[in-house]
Amino acid sequence: MKPIACLLVCLMLSGNTFSQSFYDQLAAAKKVSCQETLTFLQKQDTAQLEAPVLADWFKELGLAHYCQGEFAPAVEAYQRAVLAYEQVGNSALQCETINLIGTLIKKQGDYDQARTYFEEGYQLARESGDEIGMGNSLNNLGESFLQQNQPEKALEYFFRSNEHKEAAKDTFGLSFNYDNIAQAYSQLESHDQAIVYFERAAKFKLLSKDSVGYAIVQNNIGEALYQRQQLEEALSYFQKALPIAERANFLDFVQHIYGQMAKVNEDLGDHRAALAHFKQRTAVRDSIFNIAKNKELLEINTRYETEKKERQIAEQKVALQQKNILTAGLVGGLIVLVVVGRLMLQRRRLRYENQLKEEQTRTKEAQIAASIASQEKERSRFAKDLHDGFGQLISILNINLKSLENGANNRQEVFEESAKVLEEMYGELKNICFNLMPQTLIQKGLPAALNEFAARVSVAGKLVVTTDFFGVEERLSDLQEISLYRITQEWVNNIVKYSDAKKVSIQITKDEHELTLMVEDDGSGFDKQKLISGSGNGWKNINSRTNLIHGELELETVIGRRGNSLILNVPVAVHTQSELREA
């Protein structure tokens, strides 16, 4: 064999061995967890990967990010995978990845945009005769209609999808279809039919060894049973699904299951378990998503569309001029794509950091302005109370005293009337002092002060306020007690002024690491965004005091549904004297 030919054979064998090793290690990492998979992929030197392997690397990176609940990086990785699969001529995986992008866009609520991706995937699969690709695209189209509460239209797409997947003997894909068909029947309130298809989906999940999919079906059966008010049975299915989702570190699914378990326990009357599950759901949800990621996702999608059009124009020119150097151009294009991608990521990161700093500055300025305005409002209110209340009472007392100077005959009557005036002045002074700083809060602590506050509000007659405390036998720091009292006072006063609620519950629970304040009322739900973006200072003051004690605030309300909850989680910690002075 000639030396050059021998060298080429050795290089091919070396590349195949490297690729196989990559896929073997990837499979091993995926069996452990999503985080293990992500760590393995990020350690790879992408410059050593062949073009088809690099395309798979991008797709697997997107899947790992999605499994971790990191949606924006997932979409970016998928978009790069689509371009890479197109360049190597793998239309099946190109179609599959386009569908993955559509699925993430759908999760943001943009169903029309998501359907454009699913239809693009269907046409691509149809042109290449890809039965599985056509089935997946039709199934995704059905899911988009299902999530918009159009179950009849969704079923049409699901059954069309079944035809393609049965033709391809796609056991794994059929398990998803049966699950979706069951959900459509659930929306139609055909719960018996839904459970039949859920059970069928579970069997196919086991056949295809899809443990996460099996957990999702168990969750869906639990939801169907919950709709039928079979609460104990529903809870057992959620409990089956939860450990599987946690082992896979599928955070988006974990927080959903916690939410379902909280609802079931609430209906069963186990409020402590419901509160615990609600707190777990909130903690997981807050860790996987925020407004900044939504903005990033939209920016990435726009950038992808622009890059795709520019690349198509460039490829047409290259095809006319340099057909004989396609392979070299492919490798160079991929290198440029990776470099440009890294530069764009760096620019986006810097832009995001600058925006975050500006937003933090604006928030701080708004909080300071709200605090100053609130203080001025309180000063004005106390001045008015003193002038209107004390001023009138002092005038009456002065008249009584002058009548004594003038030799009034009814001295005993004047004396008794003056004593009554002094008692009224004392009562007025107690009310003003209570609003300034309740002595009960200073002397006996937060639970006693909130009990006194609840009694005062209840006596007024508009609301019945109840309290419940667990684990707060010991005093908190001054800063925490004052802040939690003022936040509760502000929110309950807001309910009194604007809500049609009749009952309010104030609950505080504390464990070794965290304290939770929950204020619930039975009033009508409202537009949360109007409250947050309103010109009033009440909500800004609540946020300012929350930040001061390093708390996390959550407001649960739905327009058209009765019942609202304000939830504040605060770390149990010792505060500095400077923080106490700021209170």
Side-chain angles (χ1 to χ4, degrees):
M1 183 179 291
K2 295 182 179 179
I4 294 179
C6 181
L7 178 61
L8 289 174
V9 170
C10 292
L11 287 172
M12 290 173 64
L13 290 173
S14 174
N16 290 336
T17 302
F18 179 83
S19 299
Q20 188 58 48
S21 174
F22 167 80
Y23 289 116
D24 289 343
Q25 293 178 64
L26 174 62
K30 291 173 75 172
K31 288 180 180 179
V32 177
S33 68
C34 299
Q35 181 58 54
E36 183 71 18
T37 306
L38 187 61
T39 301
F40 166 73
L41 291 168
Q42 291 174 335
K43 287 181 178 179
Q44 300 304 303
D45 183 0
T46 54
Q48 295 184 13
L49 300 179
E50 297 176 353
V53 181
L54 181 62
D56 289 341
W57 180 86
F58 278 124
K59 189 190 78 168
E60 293 294 341
L61 183 66
L63 288 169
H65 277 303
Y66 168 67
C67 187
Q68 289 283 95
E70 300 165 352
F71 297 149
V75 170
E76 184 166 9
Y78 287 151
Q79 288 166 348
R80 294 185 183 279
V82 169
L83 300 178
Y85 281 131
E86 185 176 0
Q87 288 177 334
V88 299
N90 193 332
S91 60
L93 289 178
Q94 184 185 355
C95 170
E96 177 184 327
T97 312
I98 288 171
N99 275 283
L100 291 173
I101 297 174
T103 298
L104 286 185
I105 298 296
K106 180 185 66 179
K107 290 183 75 67
Q108 311 311 308
D110 191 347
Y111 296 102
D112 292 335
Q113 179 68 12
R115 280 195 280 268
T116 62
Y117 280 99
F118 299 146
E119 288 166 358
E120 180 184 350
Y122 176 75
Q123 291 301 326
L124 182 65
R126 185 179 178 184
E127 291 170 4
S128 60
D130 178 7
E131 294 283 357
I132 292 179
M134 287 187 283
N136 287 339
S137 298
L138 290 169
N139 179 64
N140 287 330
L141 283 164
E143 286 182 341
S144 70
F145 287 109
L146 182 66
Q147 292 181 12
Q148 288 187 296
N149 295 316
Q150 300 180 50
E152 293 91 348
K153 194 162 187 178
L155 283 171
E156 293 178 14
Y157 282 99
F158 292 149
F159 285 122
R160 282 179 61 193
S161 173
N162 269 12
E163 294 176 4
H164 293 288
K165 292 187 178 182
E166 287 171 357
K169 298 181 180 180
D170 181 12
T171 302
F172 182 68
L174 283 169
S175 70
F176 285 96
N177 277 33
Y178 288 134
D179 183 40
N180 288 332
I181 290 169
Q183 292 187 57
Y185 279 120
S186 291
Q187 281 192 13
L188 292 169
E189 297 187 357
S190 300
H191 299 300
D192 291 337
Q193 191 76 351
I195 291 177
V196 168
Y197 276 98
F198 278 137
E199 296 289 359
R200 190 176 298 178
K203 291 179 181 179
F204 274 77
K205 292 293 184 185
L206 289 176
L207 287 173
S208 56
K209 298 180 180 180
D210 179 11
S211 61
V212 173
Y214 180 75
I216 292 172
V217 174
Q218 298 305 304
N219 170 82
N220 293 339
I221 295 174
E223 291 182 2
L225 290 169
Y226 178 73
Q227 292 295 326
R228 296 171 63 176
Q229 287 300 294
Q230 295 176 235
L231 302 181
E232 295 287 354
E233 294 90 336
L235 187 60
S236 68
Y237 277 96
F238 294 138
Q239 289 169 341
K240 290 179 186 178
L242 180 61
I244 301 174
E246 288 179 329
R247 282 197 298 271
N249 201 26
F250 194 171
L251 300 183
D252 191 35
F253 185 36
V254 169
Q255 67 95 13
H256 174 80
I257 297 173
Y258 277 131
Q260 297 300 108
M261 294 175 73
K263 288 197 307 183
V264 173
N265 278 304
E266 184 70 23
D267 289 352
L268 287 170
D270 190 349
H271 301 297
R272 181 162 294 180
L275 175 61
H277 291 314
F278 178 82
K279 289 174 66 176
Q280 289 167 315
R281 184 201 71 170
T282 302
V284 176
R285 183 182 61 187
D286 290 346
S287 70
I288 64 175
F289 214 88
N290 54 46
I291 296 173
K293 289 184 179 178
N294 283 332
K295 292 181 179 178
E296 289 178 0
L297 188 59
L298 293 175
E299 291 174 0
I300 291 170
N301 186 54
T302 302
R303 192 161 62 246
Y304 162 70
E305 294 293 340
T306 303
E307 289 179 0
K308 182 178 177 182
K309 291 179 181 179
E310 292 175 351
R311 188 190 56 76
Q312 288 174 343
I313 295 172
E315 284 182 346
Q316 290 174 358
K317 292 180 179 179
V318 170
L320 292 173
Q321 299 173 3
Q322 300 179 340
K323 291 183 179 180
N324 59 333
I325 57 171
L326 179 60
T327 303
L330 172 63
V331 175
L334 284 173
I335 294 173
V336 170
L337 185 64
V338 172
V339 173
V340 170
R342 287 178 177 173
L343 290 173
M344 293 177 69
L345 282 171
Q346 185 177 4
R347 290 180 59 188
R348 185 194 66 195
R349 188 181 301 109
L350 291 173
R351 184 169 63 252
Y352 170 73
E353 289 175 354
N354 290 333
Q355 290 174 348
L356 183 60
K357 289 179 181 178
E358 292 175 2
E359 184 63 28
Q360 289 173 341
T361 301
R362 285 195 296 269
T363 301
K364 189 67 175 178
E365 290 173 351
Q367 290 176 347
I368 293 171
S371 179
I372 293 172
S374 178
Q375 291 173 8
E376 291 300 321
K377 182 179 178 182
E378 287 298 295
R379 289 191 182 100
S380 298
R381 185 167 68 82
F382 292 135
K384 186 175 184 301
D385 288 345
L386 289 169
H387 179 272
D388 294 347
F390 266 76
Q392 293 176 8
L393 294 171
I394 290 171
S395 296
I396 294 171
L397 188 61
N398 188 41
I399 291 171
N400 289 345
L401 293 174
K402 285 184 177 179
S403 69
L404 293 175
E405 289 178 358
N406 297 331
N409 296 327
N410 54 341
R411 296 173 66 85
Q412 182 62 32
E413 183 179 342
V414 171
F415 174 76
E416 291 174 357
E417 183 65 28
S418 298
K420 290 180 181 178
V421 172
L422 287 172
E423 287 180 3
E424 290 184 31
M425 291 175 69
Y426 177 66
E428 188 75 18
L429 182 62
K430 281 182 66 178
N431 287 332
I432 293 173
C433 290
F434 179 83
N435 289 329
L436 283 170
M437 180 60 68
Q439 291 301 305
T440 307
L441 180 64
I442 297 172
Q443 296 172 4
K444 298 182 180 180
L446 182 61
L450 288 178
N451 282 331
E452 183 179 5
F453 173 69
R456 282 174 173 264
V457 177
S458 297
V459 167
K462 184 177 179 181
L463 284 177
V464 175
V465 184
T466 60
T467 59
D468 187 19
F469 308 108
F470 179 77
V472 284
E473 292 79 11
E474 297 180 359
R475 293 292 297 267
L476 305 173
S477 70
D478 291 348
L479 177 62
Q480 287 177 323
E481 289 191 338
I482 293 170
S483 299
L484 290 168
Y485 181 84
R486 291 305 185 197
I487 289 169
T488 305
Q489 184 184 45
E490 184 78 46
W491 187 247
V492 174
N493 287 338
N494 191 62
I495 294 171
V496 172
K497 290 180 183 178
Y498 305 113
S499 175
D500 60 349
K502 302 297 181 185
K503 297 179 181 179
V504 173
S505 169
I506 302 171
Q507 305 168 40
I508 296 181
T509 60
K510 184 170 81 72
D511 56 29
E512 184 179 353
H513 303 290
E514 188 175 58
L515 178 145
T516 299
L517 165 68
M518 178 181 291
V519 183
E520 297 180 299
D521 67 80
D522 61 353
S524 300
F526 54 89
D527 187 346
K528 180 167 59 175
Q529 192 56 42
K530 286 185 179 180
L531 173 67
I532 295 172
S533 59
S535 59
N537 291 322
W539 183 251
K540 294 176 182 176
N541 283 333
I542 288 175
N543 276 278
S544 178
R545 290 190 180 275
T546 297
N547 292 335
L548 194 60
I549 56 177
H550 309 294
E552 294 181 358
L553 197 62
E554 179 76 15
L555 176 58
E556 291 287 340
T557 182
V558 177
I559 297 175
R561 190 182 74 188
R562 299 194 71 83
N564 309 291
S565 299
L566 180 77
I567 302 164
L568 174 61
N569 293 314
V570 180
V572 177
V574 177
H575 295 270
T576 65
Q577 290 299 317
S578 63
E579 288 178 318
L580 293 175
R581 286 193 294 272
E582 291 179 23

